[in-house]
């Protein structure tokens, strides 16, 4: 077969590429089916961030509330109390006493909306949104598990992340972020559970 002219290999190559594309689409579809689309999700998190120049990873713990299509409340409890509120258009950081440390608005920071959309998708396992920004590879594990490796499709995102890994079952259990500058973060989620809808913000 090695002596075959190139044009005879072409159909085989196209069939192979088509098969890979279908496999990636099927994987995303199957993972989406396995995820619980609960509108409100609570849980605890542990984040280990490895930063160049530091021997030990920076460890933080806390809890979070994800209200799909509305926002995320990310509350760090240790090593110090702080909170972060994300909506589709804003990011608000508060100190332990409740005072605002800073507030960003997508009207003044146009990139913020894209960043928040990405964070929503990572926390909520929104595969359709992630597929717009990343090449998705991975595998299904057993009857409920799965893991995905996400590689940025555009140069802008690639300047921030080398790759992202997600692992889970009916919920996202772990997110690994490998940054382009060599830093990395591992976020593990525990005690995940559905929760009642919070009062609608006024």
């Amino acid at each position: 077969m090695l002596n075959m002219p190139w044009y005879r290999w072409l159909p085989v190559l196209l069939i192979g590429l088509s098969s890979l594309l279908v496999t990636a689409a099927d994987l995303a579809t199957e993972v989406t089916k396995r995820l619980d689309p609960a509108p409100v999700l609570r849980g605890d998190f542990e984040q280990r961030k490895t930063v160049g120049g530091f021997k030990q990873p920076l460890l933080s713990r806390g809890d979070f509330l994800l209200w799909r299509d509305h926002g995320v409340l990310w509350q760090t409890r240790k090593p110090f109390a702080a909170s972060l509120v994300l909506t589709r258009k804003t990011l608000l950081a508060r100190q332990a006493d409740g005072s605002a440390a800073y507030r960003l608005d997508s009207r003044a920071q146009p990139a913020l909306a894209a960043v928040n959309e990405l964070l929503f998708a990572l926390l909520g396992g929104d595969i359709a949104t992630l597929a717009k920004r990343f090449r998705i590879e991975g595998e299904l594990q057993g009857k409920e598990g799965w893991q995905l490796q996400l590689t940025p499709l555009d140069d802008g995102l690639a300047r921030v992340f080398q790759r992202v890994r997600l692992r889970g079952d009916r919920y996202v259990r772990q997110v690994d972020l490998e940054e382009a500058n060599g830093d990395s973060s591992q976020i593990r989620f525990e005690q995940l559970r559905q929760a009642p809808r919070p009062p609608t913000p006024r």
Side-chain angles (χ1 to χ4, degrees):
M1 293 180 66
L2 293 176
N3 295 324
M4 288 172 61
W6 67 269
Y7 54 82
R8 293 193 177 181
W9 282 91
L10 188 57
V12 178
L13 179 61
L14 291 176
I15 291 172
L17 289 175
S18 174
S19 174
L20 288 175
L21 291 173
V22 170
T23 299
D26 288 348
L27 176 65
T29 300
E30 287 303 315
V31 171
T32 300
K33 287 180 181 177
R34 293 185 176 198
L35 285 165
D36 187 333
V40 184
L41 188 66
R42 284 187 180 277
D44 298 336
F45 72 85
E46 178 185 272
Q47 179 173 5
R48 291 177 179 271
K49 184 171 180 63
T50 301
V51 179
F54 288 79
K55 292 183 178 179
Q56 300 295 328
L58 307 175
L59 178 63
S60 61
R61 293 190 177 93
D63 53 76
F64 74 97
L65 181 146
L66 168 66
W67 187 8
R68 297 182 196 277
D69 300 324
H70 286 78
V72 177
L73 173 60
W74 189 265
Q75 298 188 107
T76 301
R77 305 294 186 186
K78 295 180 179 179
F80 51 83
S83 65
L84 196 65
V85 179
L86 297 173
T87 70
R88 296 288 180 185
K89 297 182 178 179
T90 62
L91 183 154
L92 174 63
R94 290 190 182 279
Q95 299 174 335
D97 61 2
S99 61
Y102 56 86
R103 179 188 179 94
L104 301 178
D105 193 302
S106 62
R107 287 172 293 188
Q109 304 279 344
L112 181 64
V115 172
N116 284 6
E117 181 185 53
L118 177 60
L119 293 173
F120 271 60
L122 288 172
L123 291 173
D126 184 346
I127 306 300
T129 296
L130 293 174
K132 298 176 184 175
R133 310 295 301 275
F134 295 93
R135 183 179 76 246
I136 296 180
E137 301 168 289
E139 62 180 5
L140 301 175
Q141 297 178 325
K143 294 183 178 179
E144 297 183 345
W146 51 268
Q147 64 175 10
L148 299 177
Q149 177 171 297
L150 313 179
T151 305
L153 291 173
D154 62 82
D155 293 340
L157 198 55
R159 284 194 286 271
V160 181
F161 297 114
Q162 282 190 333
R163 66 183 59 84
V164 179
R165 291 188 176 89
L166 300 177
R167 182 178 63 79
D169 40 43
R170 61 183 298 202
Y171 302 120
V172 176
R173 299 286 181 180
Q174 183 170 317
V175 177
D176 296 335
L177 304 169
E178 295 183 22
E179 299 176 32
N181 63 2
D183 295 348
S184 63
S185 295
Q186 181 187 79
I187 308 171
R188 300 176 63 184
F189 301 106
E190 297 179 339
Q191 305 295 323
L192 296 170
R193 59 202 183 275
Q194 296 186 28
R197 294 175 185 270
T200 304
R202 297 182 177 178

